């Protein structure tokens, strides 16, 4: 199991990700959880920093941590009663995006039999090399670092300050995995369409009210700003036909402007990308299953 946390935070020790009850309810399953480096320690492109030219794997160290965990599982899980040839990776949110990404990593080939993706895909929660370099430059600007020696001299408190500033400035993708052409292909969507994850069974899905979680915890004002920025980006890249469909989408959603934008963000960020991965995988004749969770919360 791979925990979530927007690639920014989280850990398998958190009660949210404690799999004790799951393991007890499913005694035929051997469960292992994997931690990985998060935030800039796991997803910062150091190869473009003077003195960091040798760190070509740095943009995706968090992913490679998980590959090491899967190698351990392959080597040792039989001692716990597991089958090293029937390994299922599953995760939620960022963990789900990581599961999706893992299926394209050459080093992970042969380590995964099945993949379960809950509310997250590599086609959505990913960034280009250009965006990754821009985030690195922003981090260097914040801390005043000029080279790798400067970065390596930063204290834990310095790093926490940098992470906080990046987060508060809504630079939400500064820790997403990078399509670097080294660990991950430069074009994830093209890799899916070419059946690059051939032989891996997948189960993928989303929740009906996915974005309400973020609206609740971050507040409507902050999220409206993000939703509006997303929609403006989509509009700038859309054809007239797509713009017409967007207007039709909004007209079919009940509620005020915020609720319409929230529903679009929910559909665009989660559901459409999950549909793409499922449909494309199935079109190649691969075992593909999809769910859509609609149960309402009992909380007010």
């Amino acid at each position: 199991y791979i925990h979530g946390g927007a690639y920014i935070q989280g850990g398998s020790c958190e009660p949210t990700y404690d799999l004790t009850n799951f393991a007890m309810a499913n005694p035929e399953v051997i469960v292992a959880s994997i931690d990985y480096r998060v935030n800039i320690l796991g997803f910062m492109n150091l190869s473009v920093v003077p003195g960091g030219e040798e760190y070509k794997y740095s943009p995706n160290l968090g992913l490679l941590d998980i590959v090491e965990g899967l190698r351990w599982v392959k080597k040792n899980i039989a001692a716990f009663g597991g089958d090293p040839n029937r390994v299922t990776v599953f995760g939620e949110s960022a963990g789900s995006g990581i599961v999706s990404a893992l299926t394209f990593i050459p080093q992970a080939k042969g380590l995964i039999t099945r993949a379960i993706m809950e509310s997250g895909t590599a086609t959505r929660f990913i960034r280009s090399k250009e965006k990754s370099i821009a985030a690195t430059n922003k981090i260097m600007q914040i801390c005043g670092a000029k080279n790798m020696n400067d970065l390596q001299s930063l204290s834990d408190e310095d790093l926490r300050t940098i992470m906080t500033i990046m987060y508060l400035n809504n630079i939400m993708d500064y820790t997403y995995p990078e399509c670097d052409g080294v660990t991950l292909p430069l074009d994830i969507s093209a890799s899916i369409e070419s059946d690059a994850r051939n032989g891996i069974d997948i189960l993928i899905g989303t929740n009906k009210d996915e974005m309400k979680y973020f609206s609740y915890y971050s507040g409507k004002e902050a999220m409206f700003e993000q939703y509006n920025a997303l929609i403006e980006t989509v509009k700038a890249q859309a054809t007239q036909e797509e713009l017409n469909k967007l207007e039709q989408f909004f007209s079919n959603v009940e509620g005020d402007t915020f609720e319409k934008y929230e529903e679009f963000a929910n559909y665009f960020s989660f559901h459409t990308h999950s549909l793409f991965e499922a449909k494309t995988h199935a079109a190649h004749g691969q075992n593909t299953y999809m769910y859509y969770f609609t149960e309402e919360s009992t909380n007010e």
Side-chain angles (χ1 to χ4, degrees), residues 17-194:
Y17 305 118
D18 187 334
L19 298 172
T20 301
N21 291 338
F22 175 80
M24 292 177 66
N26 299 276
E28 74 281 9
V29 176
I30 307 301
V31 186
S33 57
I34 301 176
D35 281 320
Y36 54 98
R37 277 170 283 188
V38 297
N39 221 300
I40 58 178
L41 295 180
F43 300 99
M44 179 180 174
N45 190 336
L46 300 175
S47 67
V48 297
V49 176
E53 293 80 8
E54 294 183 2
Y55 297 103
K56 66 178 182 178
Y57 295 108
S58 64
N60 293 303
L61 287 178
L63 300 182
L64 295 175
D65 287 342
I66 295 167
V67 172
E68 286 302 312
L70 288 170
R71 286 174 176 158
W72 185 94
V73 168
K74 184 79 171 180
K75 181 179 179 181
N76 296 286
I77 205 65
F80 296 86
D83 185 344
N85 297 312
R86 294 183 63 191
V87 175
T88 297
V89 289
F90 65 118
E92 179 266 343
S93 192
S96 179
I98 288 173
V99 169
S100 177
L102 281 172
T103 60
F104 303 107
I105 297 178
Q107 297 95 317
K109 189 173 180 60
L111 302 177
I112 301 170
T113 310
R114 297 185 176 97
I116 300 174
M117 291 163 267
E118 306 167 68
S119 304
T121 66
T123 53
R124 174 67 177 101
F125 300 108
I126 203 78
R127 60 180 174 168
S128 65
K129 183 181 290 289
E130 291 72 24
K131 282 194 172 184
S132 178
I133 293 173
T136 294
N137 291 338
K138 181 65 175 178
I139 290 168
M140 299 285 284
Q141 177 186 347
I142 290 171
C143 66
K146 303 297 183 184
N147 50 48
M148 277 300 299
N149 286 335
D150 292 343
L151 286 178
Q152 290 172 328
S153 68
L154 295 174
S155 67
D156 292 348
E157 188 58 38
D158 292 331
L159 293 176
R160 281 192 289 269
T161 298
I162 293 167
M163 296 172 193
T164 301
I165 293 173
M166 295 291 283
Y167 181 76
L168 293 178
N169 279 275
N170 288 325
I171 307 176
M172 294 302 293
D173 62 354
Y174 79 98
T175 58
Y176 286 0
E178 178 192 319
C179 291
D180 58 354
V182 179
T183 300
L184 290 176
L186 293 173
D187 190 331
I188 290 285
S189 296
S191 295
I192 294 176
E193 291 175 335
S194 68

